[in-house]
Amino acid sequence: MKHVMQLLEKHEIQPYEIALVHWENEELNYTKIEGQSKLHRGEIWLNSELDLDDAILEKFAFSNALCLSVKLAIWEASLDKFVESIQSIPEALKAGKKVKLSHEEVMQKMGELFALRHRINLSSDFLITPDFYWDRENLEELYDKTCRFLSITRRVKVMNEKLQHCMELTDLMRNHLMEKRALRLEWMIVILITIEVMFELGRVFFVIK
């Protein structure tokens, strides 16, 4: 496994932080038994009587769920980092202080949220069972039970609730900036009209004079 990882590292694109890679992992003990494979009290029991191909498929089902949990953990860490970057905004708004974020920065924050939400809900297997298991009921049972043990569905629900809250906050910031921009434009129009009126009054005054 280490040899394969060393080969893959040469082809990484935007790799995760080393500390995050070492921190986010899932480990379950396993043992070989005589009888049907299953997940029992957090331990994987593997049927030692299966032929090689079937044994590999069952190991894949367990590891697939573990992989999904690690992927979700990585994105949970990304969301926590995002939440940390905006946690001062509600307090600043509450205190009536000026929030020092430009329109471009707010749009960038919204883009980060949409990208994370897309990865979780549309481009991953968190919400549905992969097609691979549709005609393999025994493997699907192993996969689903391992996902339930790792609380995949509940964690995805919590993440979506956090994302929704962050979206509401960034929407509030965007609307606030748009209102400020609209107010600034209104004042510019008023000033331009005032200047125009002053020029017109000056022209009328010189004509009369």
Side-chain angles (χ1 to χ4, degrees):
M1 183 185 69
K2 291 180 179 179
H3 180 64
V4 172
M5 293 298 293
Q6 289 174 355
L7 291 175
L8 293 176
E9 285 176 357
K10 301 175 183 178
H11 308 284
E12 288 179 339
I13 298 175
Q14 296 181 341
Y16 295 112
E17 297 177 6
I18 299 298
L20 186 61
V21 172
H22 288 291
W23 178 258
E24 299 298 348
N25 59 76
E26 292 285 359
E27 292 184 4
L28 292 178
N29 294 326
Y30 74 91
T31 184
K32 292 185 177 182
I33 62 167
E34 294 181 359
Q36 187 176 2
S37 298
K38 60 183 177 180
L39 182 69
H40 181 73
R41 296 183 179 179
E43 185 177 21
I44 297 173
W45 289 4
L46 296 173
N47 187 351
S48 61
E49 300 172 338
L50 293 176
D51 58 40
L52 181 59
D53 290 342
D54 291 335
I56 289 175
L57 287 175
E58 288 193 346
K59 291 177 182 178
F60 172 78
F62 286 117
S63 62
N64 194 187
L66 290 168
C67 173
L68 204 65
S69 179
V70 172
K71 183 187 293 186
L72 181 58
I74 292 288
W75 291 346
E76 285 171 334
S78 298
L79 180 57
D80 289 340
K81 187 175 181 180
F82 179 89
V83 171
E84 185 179 352
S85 71
I86 63 171
Q87 65 181 1
S88 62
I89 295 177
E91 293 298 324
L93 293 173
K94 180 181 177 181
K97 298 179 180 177
K98 184 178 180 180
V99 180
K100 298 179 180 180
L101 280 178
S102 66
H103 185 266
E104 289 75 17
E105 290 173 325
V106 171
M107 293 305 295
Q108 182 181 5
K109 293 290 185 185
M110 294 186 71
E112 292 178 26
L113 285 177
F114 275 117
L116 186 56
R117 200 170 195 175
H118 175 84
R119 288 196 295 267
I120 293 171
N121 295 298
L122 298 179
S123 62
S124 68
D125 295 325
F126 292 127
L127 302 181
I128 60 173
T129 302
D131 297 351
F132 174 78
Y133 299 104
W134 284 5
D135 57 349
R136 300 176 175 89
E137 293 183 3
N138 62 317
L139 298 180
E140 181 179 2
E141 184 179 354
L142 297 177
Y143 172 82
D144 287 341
K145 190 168 184 179
T146 308
C147 285
R148 287 195 298 271
F149 176 78
L150 297 169
S151 304
I152 299 292
T153 302
R154 182 181 60 81
R155 289 160 62 191
V156 170
K157 182 180 179 181
V158 171
M159 277 200 72
N160 274 317
E161 290 175 354
K162 288 184 177 180
L163 284 167
Q164 182 61 34
H165 175 73
C166 291
M167 288 297 300
E168 291 173 359
L169 181 58
T170 52
D171 276 339
L172 175 65
M173 287 302 305
R174 183 184 62 173
N175 293 334
H176 175 65
L177 290 173
M178 289 178 65
E179 289 175 1
K180 286 178 62 177
R181 180 176 291 185
L183 182 62
R184 187 161 56 246
L185 288 174
E186 289 176 1
W187 274 109
M188 290 175 64
I189 292 172
V190 169
I191 292 172
L192 289 173
I193 292 174
T194 303
I195 293 173
E196 184 179 359
V197 170
M198 291 178 64
F199 275 112
E200 187 65 22
L201 289 175
R203 187 182 67 80
V204 171
F205 175 77
F206 283 115
V207 167
I208 294 176
K209 188 175 180 181

